[in-house]
Amino acid sequence: MNSEIEKVLSKTFSNHFNLTGLDWSNLSPVVKLVKHKKNSVIRQADKIETNLYYILEGSTASILFKKDKLVCIDLCFKDEFSGDYQSLLTQQRSGLEIRAITDSVILSIPFDGLFKIYSQKPKIEMERIGRISAERLYILKNKEVIDLKTRSAKERYLTLLNQQPELLQKISLKYLAAYLGISAESLSRIRKELVAK
């Protein structure tokens, strides 16, 4: 099993950061390949994040509750990293809960173990990983803010539908609606309009 995890780690970090030639054998024993059922909690709220998650199959949501109202901060899909990055970097408790919103297979990577692996490469390469990660996250979040301010919920839903058509059929309306910032009823109306066309 460890050799399988080593291969996945090598491929993942090579694809995302062009990082090759690292020895993953020290990390692979502590990395967990976890199957999560739909709606199961990956990381509870009010905890300090200690892991980075990589989605091999399925999808996750970063959620919190405000006065019993579900707020969805982020949706992540196959071949993407997921988790509570702010808590991971600051090592402070967070109100975010990370939840599998479809049946999912996730690689749970301990952050402290990852740092040991990073020390195998020169500092400049590790800074490149941090820079690339920060740039990608900034671009993603900036695009989400622009879309939220300039595009209708219907337009944003259509974009998601084009990007993840199969998965969106499996995700509960409540998560999609919360992510789009509308009620489940409004999203249901949008879907009916699209089917009617």
Side-chain angles (χ1 to χ4, degrees), residues 21 54 68 77 91-92 94 111 126 138 143 146 148 166:
Y54 187 75
D68 294 330
F77 302 96
Q91 285 299 285
Q92 294 180 354
S94 164
F111 202 52
M126 297 309 102
Y138 172 79
K143 184 180 181 311
I146 291 169
L148 188 61
E166 292 175 20

Side-chain angles (χ1 to χ4, degrees), residues 17 19 118-132:
F17 305 110
L19 257 186
Y118 286 173
S119 68
Q120 297 175 23
K121 286 283 189 179
K123 185 179 176 187
I124 192 162
E125 289 203 25
M126 297 309 102
E127 289 172 351
R128 181 170 57 83
I129 292 170
R131 178 181 53 78
I132 290 169

